[in-house]
Amino acid sequence: VQPSAPVFHIHAIAILEDNYVWLICRERQAWIIDPGASHPIIDYCSAHGFIPRGIFLTHAHADHWLGAAELKQHFGLPLYGPAQMPPAIASLIDTEVREGDSIDLDGSALDVWSLPGHTAEHIGYWLKDGDNGHLFSGDTLFSAGCGRVNHRAEALFSSISRIAALPPETWIYPSHEYTLANLRFAKAVEPNNPAVDRRRAEAQQQLENGLPSLPVRLCEERQYNPFLRCHEDSVKKSAQMASNSTASCDSDVFLALRAWKNVF
Ligand SMILES: [Zn+2]
């Protein structure tokens, strides 16, 4: 039975250039998402009295798992991740997880979503906690942007459309602090969208205060993230001009935006 009051707290640990490791905490227990380093996680858990219980990986890129081996050994943790990971990390994964799988977080379910596009094997993790929904989106959806395509742009569009259909109050937890750079592109796509400017001011303030600009609610992203706004005339028009095409369906607009962002 799901409790109706939230029981989890989610913490961000900034590592490497611009990665976030997300810690899903329940009282003193903590589950770790995408540890691209080990020492900052060990230090954080020690400083806050957290006892790690498990590690979850979203995809193959090393900045999301380089710390996993040491954390696994240090705390004796089970490691979960998708199939088709690079051999160096695949051999350490205890449980391969895929779409439809559900991992037990001490009585609450962490659901596995297949979210291909950035990479083929990319997965995300969905946690319903009371009335709050939390999606750990890895490198699929960022604030004001989306992941690069190393797999297939059409797959990324499907994955992002699936996220876009979640309840508006859903919290999104991307793995990178790309918000301000993404907003520069969003501004180029929609120069007259006041929500882009509002979000830029907010993110600047958050970062100046030493805080992440994340997580962010899906209903906010829908107001300024061009990749969630392919149905808007303003976005469509900019995508058509940038691609010198007649892209009109949402998926064609998405592909044109993604190609434009690559050279922006
Ligand atoms: Zn990646």
Side-chain angles (χ1 to χ4, degrees), residues 9 147 226 260:
H9 292 275
W260 178 11

Side-chain angles (χ1 to χ4, degrees), residues 58-64 118-119 122 138-139 142 148 150 176:
T58 60
H59 69 290
H61 293 154
D63 59 314
H64 296 255
H118 172 64
T119 58
H122 198 300
D139 286 359
F142 297 118
R148 276 180 179 278
N150 301 293
H176 288 277

Side-chain angles (χ1 to χ4, degrees), residues 12-22 63-64 138-139 141-145 173-184 199-200 202-208 210-216 221 261:
I13 306 174
I15 61 158
L16 308 176
E17 289 276 300
D18 47 30
N19 285 66
Y20 289 122
V21 176
W22 296 107
D63 59 314
H64 296 255
D139 286 359
L141 183 66
F142 297 118
S143 182
Y173 299 76
S175 287
H176 288 277
E177 180 60 68
Y178 290 160
T179 309
L180 289 179
N182 285 339
L183 285 165
R184 283 194 287 279
R199 175 57 168 145
R200 185 169 52 195
E202 178 196 50
Q204 243 155 13
Q205 193 62 60
Q206 289 168 317
L207 295 167
E208 273 167 26
L211 299 170
S213 69
L214 306 168
V216 62
E221 286 301 303
K261 176 72 162 44

Side-chain angles (χ1 to χ4, degrees), residues 55-260:
I55 304 169
F56 308 118
L57 307 180
T58 60
H59 69 290
H61 293 154
D63 59 314
H64 296 255
W65 54 259
L66 271 176
E70 190 167 349
L71 287 170
K72 181 178 154 84
Q73 194 183 31
H74 185 92
F75 293 108
L77 300 176
L79 178 59
Y80 300 80
Q84 309 299 326
M85 290 287 268
I89 186 69
S91 59
L92 298 175
I93 292 178
D94 301 289
T95 307
E96 271 184 12
V97 287
R98 56 184 59 76
E99 174 71 33
D101 284 346
S102 191
I103 302 154
D104 176 45
L105 302 188
D106 204 33
S108 297
L110 185 70
D111 295 337
V112 178
W113 280 29
S114 174
L115 295 174
H118 172 64
T119 58
E121 78 295 335
H122 198 300
I123 57 174
Y125 296 95
W126 163 255
L127 176 68
K128 187 90 171 73
D129 182 25
D131 291 335
N132 297 327
H134 306 276
L135 184 78
F136 299 90
S137 59
D139 286 359
T140 300
L141 183 66
F142 297 118
S143 182
C146 73
R148 276 180 179 278
V149 175
N150 301 293
H151 170 50
R152 286 195 311 115
E154 294 82 358
L156 186 61
F157 174 71
S158 300
S159 294
I160 284 178
S161 301
R162 187 176 175 193
I163 296 172
L166 280 166
E169 303 304 310
T170 299
W171 289 102
I172 308 289
Y173 299 76
S175 287
H176 288 277
E177 180 60 68
Y178 290 160
T179 309
L180 289 179
N182 285 339
L183 285 165
R184 283 194 287 279
F185 179 70
K187 182 78 179 170
V189 177
E190 289 188 285
N192 300 317
N193 180 353
V196 173
D197 303 320
R198 273 205 308 276
R199 175 57 168 145
R200 185 169 52 195
E202 178 196 50
Q204 243 155 13
Q205 193 62 60
Q206 289 168 317
L207 295 167
E208 273 167 26
N209 292 340
L211 299 170
S213 69
L214 306 168
V216 62
R217 284 198 195 264
L218 183 58
C219 52
E220 300 294 324
E221 286 301 303
R222 284 176 180 157
Q223 296 175 37
Y224 52 74
N225 188 329
F227 295 94
L228 293 175
R229 295 171 58 75
C230 297
H231 54 280
E232 297 283 343
D233 285 340
S234 50
V235 174
K236 212 166 274 189
K237 237 175 93 187
S238 288
Q240 287 167 347
M241 279 174 63
S243 62
N244 195 20
S245 76
T246 55
S248 60
C249 70
D250 292 2
S251 63
D252 286 348
V253 172
F254 181 91
L255 300 189
L257 284 181
R258 190 52 268 184
W260 178 11

Side-chain angles (χ1 to χ4, degrees), residues 16-36:
L16 308 176
E17 289 276 300
D18 47 30
N19 285 66
Y20 289 122
V21 176
W22 296 107
L23 227 53
I24 306 176
C25 302
R26 179 174 192 162
E27 293 171 358
R28 303 261 63 91
Q29 308 178 83
W31 289 268
I32 303 163
I33 298 194
D34 277 358

